[in-house]
Amino acid sequence: MLPDSDIRDDQLEAFHLLLSGENVFLTGAAGSGKSFLIRKFLEQFDDKNLFPVLASTGAAAVLVGGRTFHSFFGLGIMEGGPERVFEKAKKDGRLRKRINKVEGIIIDEISMISGDVLDLAERIARHARENEHPFGGLRVIAVGDFAQLPPVNKMGPRNWSFQHSVWQRMQFQKAHLRTNHRTQDAEFLSVLNDIRQGQVTQRVFEFLNDKIKIHDESDSGIRLFPFRNQSEQFNLKQLNKITAPVHVFPTLYWGDAGKIEKWKDTFPVPAELALKEGAEVIFTQNDPQKRWINGTQGVVRQVEDKRITVEKRSGRQVTVDPVSFDLLNAEGEVVMSATQYPLNLGYATTIHKSQGSTLDKVWCDLSQLWEPGQAYVALSRLRDSSGLNLIKWSRNSIKADEDVIAFYGSQA
């Protein structure tokens, strides 16, 4: 089936590769359309369960409507180490049945899945399917950009999946999207590419210095912080400055009480959403009617009869109703859901939570970042460089992992 006209020329080759039946590594810089292309690919299937989307974390799984990689392959928290987990998985009949009834898997944000975790899942799949081909013959589509956020690794060198022998065994066909669809700002794109490489070139130096401004807390735009407590405190501080009455909307949870207490922080909404007319907000979900996307910014104009009217930065006003965010178990069944408006206070968020969103205006401090890719993730959220306001920045915050640079260089 030929793709529709929404797919751009630079994406056609990648789309045809997704339809080819091969294992595919779909990559590209922020804003190149990876998630869009996967949605188009899944539209080709009447039964979406044949190709489940597996995310690296529970929070990411909720946003993409998928399951976690760890739960699907019975990895849990890897208690007892890989061999103990593997022995336990060999005896799990439900796990075996689950792996055998799918045609393939889509691994979202592959950069956050370590090599050891990918290898263990591959061994489990081969055993469950009684097939010695990689992943037991399952087709694997890995999606992500290794130049963005890395796998969690508290000690030792980074355990990138592309460095593990399992990556070579998969024989991925590479689909590299090279056109940025988030911004058409040529100068900004050149700067972003340098920062993605961890390079503070002359143009990066001049560009970032030109964006430094004295922080005006009353100015619109979301603040990107490295730590969650910083964003929560700033949101509360700004909300308290508004004299209008506060409207508090408790999130309604469905599911086992124990699971709710354990997993409610997984959802992209707070336990209670406190808003005032005049408050800045950010949308936390892609709207099926395409009125907003994850990251759309706006201002609350009216709260009436449990309906919220938000004016987007374009000037268009939209009416927002509560929606359900679902957490799926390994079988793809909804085990818990949270019903809330797809909104958060839009004065601040973390760089980590901003990944995947598209923003119009940000204020950020790039002076004390520690993770490769953090600065790139923060800056690449923007549609246009005119929306960037820098409080300060440091050369030491512009980092890229040398192994990642070498990996992409060898694939060029």
Side-chain angles (χ1 to χ4, degrees), residues 173-224:
Q173 301 298 303
K174 185 180 178 184
H176 196 157
L177 302 176
R178 299 184 184 277
T179 302
N180 193 302
H181 299 284
R182 182 171 290 155
T183 178
Q184 304 302 313
D185 184 335
E187 180 194 8
F188 188 36
L189 284 172
S190 297
V191 168
L192 286 177
N193 185 60
D194 289 347
I195 291 173
R196 187 173 183 267
Q197 303 280 328
Q199 299 174 353
V200 183
T201 57
Q202 186 65 27
R203 65 184 170 196
V204 168
F205 182 81
E206 293 175 356
F207 177 87
L208 295 183
N209 280 341
D210 189 53
K211 293 297 180 180
I212 291 178
K213 296 179 182 177
I214 296 173
H215 188 197
D216 180 359
E217 292 190 353
S218 65
D219 190 45
S220 63
I222 195 163
R223 277 69 184 166
L224 299 184

Side-chain angles (χ1 to χ4, degrees), residues 283-294 296 312 316 318-319 323 342:
F283 284 86
T284 58
Q285 183 195 59
N286 292 324
D287 176 37
Q289 298 179 43
K290 300 183 179 180
R291 293 169 296 174
W292 57 77
I293 60 173
N294 179 21
T296 294
K312 301 190 298 180
R316 180 187 176 191
V318 291
T319 301
V323 298

Side-chain angles (χ1 to χ4, degrees), residues 55-204:
S56 57
T57 66
V62 170
L63 285 173
V64 300
R67 324 174 202 182
T68 69
F69 186 86
H70 283 67
S71 69
F72 185 83
F73 286 104
L75 307 180
I77 58 173
M78 302 283 284
E79 186 177 5
E83 291 310 315
R84 183 171 179 181
V85 173
F86 181 65
E87 290 303 318
K88 182 180 178 182
K90 286 163 63 175
K91 303 170 187 174
D92 189 336
R94 292 187 73 193
L95 171 61
R96 185 182 305 111
K97 183 178 179 181
R98 178 166 69 242
I99 293 175
N100 275 285
K101 72 178 183 181
V102 300
E103 290 184 5
I105 57 172
I106 295 170
I107 308 175
D108 190 52
E109 299 294 359
I110 184 64
S111 70
M112 299 182 72
I113 301 290
S114 73
D116 290 341
V117 167
L118 187 68
D119 179 61
L120 179 56
E122 194 272 338
R123 290 173 59 199
I124 290 171
R126 273 191 286 120
H127 184 273
R129 294 170 68 89
E130 299 179 350
N131 184 329
E132 283 306 305
H133 287 98
F135 267 91
L138 279 180
R139 189 173 175 219
V140 178
I141 297 174
V143 186
D145 177 14
F146 287 107
Q148 295 188 50
L149 297 178
V152 176
N153 189 33
K154 296 180 180 177
M155 298 179 66
R158 301 197 184 283
N159 191 354
W160 296 109
S161 57
F162 64 79
Q163 293 178 313
H164 201 287
S165 60
V166 68
W167 188 269
Q168 280 66 49
R169 294 200 302 274
M170 295 305 300
Q171 296 184 309
F172 284 115
Q173 301 298 303
K174 185 180 178 184
H176 196 157
L177 302 176
R178 299 184 184 277
T179 302
N180 193 302
H181 299 284
R182 182 171 290 155
T183 178
Q184 304 302 313
D185 184 335
E187 180 194 8
F188 188 36
L189 284 172
S190 297
V191 168
L192 286 177
N193 185 60
D194 289 347
I195 291 173
R196 187 173 183 267
Q197 303 280 328
Q199 299 174 353
V200 183
T201 57
Q202 186 65 27
R203 65 184 170 196
V204 168

